[in-house]
Every structure is written in structure tokens, then in C-alpha cells.
Amino acid sequence: MNLPYIVGNWKMNGLRATLAEARAIDRAAARYPKVEMALAPPATLISRMREVVQTIDVGGQDCHVAENGAYTGDISAAMLKDAGAEFAIVGHSERRQSYGESDETVRAKATSALDAGLSVIVCVGETEAQRDAGEALNIVTAQVAASVPQGDDIAPRLSLAYEPVWAIGTGRVPSVDDVEAMHRAIRETLVAAYGKPGKDVRILYGGSVKPDNAAELLSADEVGGALVGGASLTAESFIGIVEAVSPAEAE
Ligand code: 13P
């Protein structure tokens, strides 16, 4: 049985001074042995963060499909690994939208991350127009089927993150019923892709997760954790989410 996995995506936020928040999160993590925590800072902070935290995982927010080469400004999975990362997020909707990343590209990035020895979190999610048109389930399950890496023995190093685009940074969240319906559909797609091991892939929910809605969202069937944006930037709100999911144990 997987422990809940609470992952903070700092996006393009964080300077050296912000590492104090990561340190505080890491110190607090000792009181939450029933939760796994991770932070994905900007690439500039990965190695520094890795040096100052012990308990939590550190990861990258994206990687290039190639291992190295003439790709100015890009960062490969091997470089993330070399900087101390344990995982990479790929296919975030902000990358799909701003950089036109297709499912095919996301799959190639995920494969490259696994090849470099990282775990991977593959993000999927529908737009508001797609949800309004009643297409959310079809769109998202198609994204999952086309974005997850192929092959054997992948499932243990894979997590999915369902992030409805309209819920990111907006304070709006889907109903628990809608989250459950989506996570069940994603589970079916993962089992179709990987067979039995697909049952153990964590499926995270992301989009406006806060301390006051985390307990409800994470109690939903098939929700194995959260991918948190804004509320991961301070230890107070990040640990507030963790506490809502699984209260601290006495030291
Ligand atoms: P917010 O928690 O700020 O809505 O961001 C969610 C997200 O995109 C995490 O990857």
C-alpha cells in the first residue's frame, strides 16, 4: 500500500532565500512518517536543496527528451539526476500550453527520465471548455494512454497527476465525485497499459489544493496524493496540507 505522496511544484518561484522553506518542510517531515513528501524547485535550486534536506525527495519540473546536445537553455534528465534529483515532473499543462508539448513529447520525456534513473510524474488534465463539452474523461484518458512511457517494470517508478487546467491557480476545485470518476478512469487506463502493476501507480490530484480542502480531496477513492503549486511555497501551507491528510505523530 502506497503512502500518500504530497509533491510541491514551485514552478518559476524560489531564490536561495526560499530554501529556508524547504528546510522547514524537511524538518517537519520527521513528524509525518505516514506521508511521503517531495519538492520540485526551479532547476537552479535542485542541487542546493538536495544539500539541505534529508527526508524529502527533490525533483525537476521538466526535462529534455535528449541526454545532451545542442539545445540551448534546456536541461536533460541526466543533468537533473546529476544535480541530485530523484524524480522529474513531465507534461505539466503549463508546458503543454506554453511550449506546445504533445502527448508524444511527454512520453519521450518520461522515457528519458526513467532511462536516467529518475522516477517520473506525468501530468494530464482537461481545459474548462473540454469539461463543459462533456469530454473530460475521454480527453484525459487519451492523454494518459498516449503520454505514459511504455515497457515492463515501469509502474513502480511512475506517478500520474490529474490536474484540471481550470483548477490550477484559480481556487476552484472539482467535486469529489468528479475527482473520483476521473481517477477511476485513469486507473483503468493504467491497468490497460501495464496490467496488474498499473494498480499500484499513484494517481495524484493537482489544482488549488490548500490546507482547507486537502482532506476532502485526498479522501476520494483512487487519490494517492497531491501535486501542489502555490500552497507549496511556504512550509506553513505545505505542512498544513500534509497535516490535513495525516495528522502529525508525537515525537
Ligand atoms: P496550484 O496548486 O497553484 O493551483 O497549482 C497546481 C499545479 O499546477 C501543480 O503542478
Side-chain angles (χ1 to χ4, degrees):
M1 188 66 189
N2 284 320
L3 296 175
Y5 192 33
I6 311 295
V7 183
N9 173 11
W10 280 11
K11 308 190 179 185
M12 199 172 73
N13 298 290
L15 300 172
R16 269 186 296 171
T18 327
L19 290 173
E21 301 297 332
R23 267 200 219 97
I25 289 169
D26 188 61
R27 274 196 306 272
R31 288 185 283 121
Y32 299 93
K34 296 202 179 109
V35 180
E36 281 179 44
M37 297 178 215
L39 290 174
T44 47
L45 289 181
I46 290 173
S47 60
R48 283 194 172 106
M49 187 181 285
R50 185 65 277 166
E51 280 166 17
V52 299
V53 300
Q54 265 124 45
T55 307
I56 66 171
D57 282 350
V58 178
Q61 300 172 10
D62 177 46
C63 66
H64 195 272
V65 297
E67 210 177 313
N68 49 49
Y71 303 103
T72 302
D74 279 311
I75 293 174
S76 72
M79 290 168 181
L80 293 178
K81 174 89 177 159
D82 187 54
E86 278 106 12
F87 69 97
I89 298 170
V90 297
H92 193 283
S93 62
E94 286 152 15
R95 305 253 358 142
R96 290 178 184 261
Q97 286 188 330
S98 305
Y99 299 90
E101 290 187 6
S102 63
D103 291 335
E104 195 185 2
T105 304
V106 174
R107 167 174 282 163
K109 289 184 171 200
T111 304
S112 157
L114 292 171
D115 288 349
L118 299 170
S119 301
V120 66
I121 300 175
V122 174
C123 303
V124 294
E126 83 283 0
T127 63
E128 183 154 36
Q130 289 165 337
R131 174 149 295 266
D132 290 347
E135 292 167 355
L137 283 170
N138 286 343
I139 295 272
V140 171
T141 51
Q143 280 179 350
V144 173
S147 303
V148 294
Q150 292 165 304
D152 297 329
D153 303 330
I154 283 171
R157 284 197 288 146
L158 174 68
S159 300
L160 254 284
Y162 167 56
E163 301 203 298
V165 176
W166 52 271
I168 294 177
T170 59
R172 295 164 58 205
V173 291
S175 69
V176 170
D177 283 353
D178 283 345
V179 171
E180 278 186 352
M182 186 61 81
H183 281 231
R184 285 184 186 138
I186 292 172
R187 175 68 67 210
E188 280 173 26
T189 311
L190 291 169
V191 171
Y194 299 112
K196 198 159 166 279
K199 290 187 180 167
D200 294 327
V201 174
R202 280 178 169 129
I203 309 174
L204 316 178
Y205 168 79
S208 295
V209 177
K210 309 282 177 217
D212 61 2
N213 62 17
E216 190 181 18
L217 287 165
L218 274 95
S219 67
D221 193 30
E222 295 289 9
V223 176
L227 185 54
V228 184
S232 71
L233 293 171
T234 67
E236 187 183 2
S237 51
F238 189 78
I239 294 298
I241 290 169
V242 172
E243 171 73 26
V245 172
S246 174
E249 299 196 354
E251 279 176 282

